[in-house]
Amino acid sequence: MGIEGRNMYELAKELFPICRSITGEGVRETFQILKRQEEDLKVFEIPTGIPIFDWKVPKEWNIRDAYIENESGEKIVDFKKNNLHVLGYSIPVNRYLSLEELKEILYTLPEQPEAIPYRTSYYKERYGFCLSENQKDALKEGRYHIVIDSELKEGSMTYGEIMIPGDTEKEILLSTYICHPSMANNECSGPSLAISLSRAIKRMKKRKYTYRIVFVPETIGAIAYLSRNLEYLKKHVEAGFVLTCVGDDRAYSMIESRYGNSLADKALETILKQRGRTYKRYSYLERGSDERQYCAPGVDLPVCTFCRSKFGEYKEYHTSLDNMEILSPEGFQGSFDVMMDVILALEYNEYYQVTCLCEPQLGARGLYPDMNISGKDGLKAIMAVRDMIGYADGKNDLFDLSSRIQVPVRQMLPYIDQFLENDLFRIVKEGK
């Protein structure tokens, strides 16, 4: 396991306790931590009420405390023990209720009786508590005191952005969200991966693309970001990826762009196939994160989503069971390796054409694969080089070439460098 996996796990652990929502101090505290990791992260605020397409920036919500007390003064539900206990965006309340009245504002998951569900009410003012079905079943007749010490005010919504310049203005977009409270895979894993990718991209010796790494509240934040940047993004983004639920080690998943035929889809699926582990490809009909906004009609950005276990598909999703126990450094490392392979492949993705007729004389240039490689492996390496040259006719991009000759992209890259340096390959326009 690499050091990046451990670093991402530790960052997720630091982010996990914070009570976040689509606005508020929890989001700002999250950005303070992320900014310590990546000093080039810029943070922006959009005031309440600003129109963003068909929406408006909502009021800012902050919470200090919340609990339910029984007649003995015992806190039987306590926000400070688990911040999922409060319905997100609950308005303030301090009142006494009968058990029957209390049950009307309680949210549980009967099918997962030990789990606290995650519930919100962003756009309708109400209040409520979330608890396990087991906790609810244990409630006795009596009078209960409920307190939610929160505020809903004119404020702002916070988002962040890292820009890493390349040799061109063509961009790769990476987007993740920072709006959920204490859920590890669903919330903390995406920003942790994005920070590690940012550092790795900066270490690259050369970058063809400019990289735009965006941290937004899910849905409303992506809509706000697009409302400010859409025309530029439409002209410059070549491929984009939403990063979410990337810290477990159960599976790999991707959710297609709207038609599943973008460069992002092609790149991610090629690498997932070549990583040698099973993965599941979901159609856009099974969308649920910010690919909904980036791929919306009229927006039409070439964006797909990368996950380990897909949101909504693993049993702990949107519950208190989505805790640090389901994350692992190994799971994070796998996600990091996949995305770095995708990024490197995109950096090299061109239509290559061999510059001489018939097979070039590789031996004279010192480009022949190592003949000391024994047996079948040596023959396989020789055939891979010959096949690369044989299909470098300007009609296949790197991903097509890799798929056609059955050689992983990463294995092809050193040869492409050598062929370009020796003027045996040239880059041509698409399909020429």
Side-chain angles (χ1 to χ4, degrees), residues 115-128:
I116 304 168
Y118 168 59
R119 296 288 185 269
T120 64
S121 183
Y122 297 137
Y123 304 107
K124 182 177 181 179
E125 292 191 5
R126 67 178 84 182
Y127 56 84

Side-chain angles (χ1 to χ4, degrees), residues 204-341:
M204 292 165 56
K205 293 181 180 179
K206 59 179 180 178
R207 292 184 295 269
K208 175 174 65 177
Y209 289 110
T210 291
Y211 288 82
R212 181 185 295 263
I213 306 176
V214 176
F215 304 78
V216 291
E218 194 173 26
T219 304
I220 190 69
I223 292 170
Y225 190 83
L226 287 167
S227 74
R228 289 188 159 195
N229 299 284
L230 179 58
E231 292 310 312
Y232 189 90
L233 295 175
K234 286 172 72 86
K235 292 177 181 177
H236 294 89
V237 172
E238 297 284 302
F241 305 89
V242 175
L243 308 175
T244 177
C245 303
V246 290
D248 68 286
D249 58 4
R250 296 167 176 166
Y252 287 106
S253 310
M254 63 176 289
I255 300 93
E256 298 175 349
S257 62
R258 196 161 83 247
Y259 288 101
N261 59 356
S262 72
L263 177 59
D265 296 296
K266 189 177 188 179
L268 182 54
E269 183 161 42
T270 298
I271 297 304
L272 287 175
K273 282 181 178 178
Q274 294 176 359
R275 294 292 300 179
R277 285 190 57 173
T278 57
Y279 70 96
K280 185 165 183 181
R281 178 168 176 154
Y282 295 87
S283 84
Y284 188 70
L285 296 173
E286 299 168 279
R287 64 196 180 276
S289 188
D290 281 333
E291 71 281 349
R292 295 174 300 156
Q293 315 311 327
Y294 294 123
C295 299
V299 177
D300 301 313
L301 294 178
V303 173
C304 65
T305 294
F306 172 56
C307 310
R308 297 290 308 235
S309 296
K310 177 183 175 288
F311 46 80
E313 297 290 326
Y314 62 97
K315 64 182 180 179
E316 301 90 350
Y317 176 72
H318 271 199
T319 77
S320 57
L321 302 181
D322 188 349
N323 55 40
M324 291 301 297
E325 291 181 8
I326 71 171
L327 303 187
S328 72
E330 293 80 8
F332 270 121
Q333 187 67 48
S335 294
F336 176 83
D337 291 343
V338 166
M339 285 308 303
M340 282 309 300
D341 277 358

Side-chain angles (χ1 to χ4, degrees), residues 354 359-360 384-393 396 401 405 425:
V354 66
E359 291 188 4
V385 171
R386 288 177 176 170
D387 290 343
M388 283 177 60
I389 295 168
Y391 283 94
D393 57 3
N396 300 292
L401 187 57
I405 70 174
F425 274 9

Side-chain angles (χ1 to χ4, degrees), residues 364-408:
R365 298 176 173 87
L367 299 179
Y368 217 73
D370 188 356
M371 293 301 293
N372 292 320
I373 299 176
S374 61
K376 292 181 180 179
D377 288 340
L379 179 61
K380 191 174 180 179
I382 293 169
M383 288 307 301
V385 171
R386 288 177 176 170
D387 290 343
M388 283 177 60
I389 295 168
Y391 283 94
D393 57 3
K395 297 178 182 178
N396 300 292
D397 72 1
L398 179 64
F399 299 110
D400 296 328
L401 187 57
S402 174
S403 297
R404 185 172 291 278
I405 70 174
Q406 302 278 299
V407 175

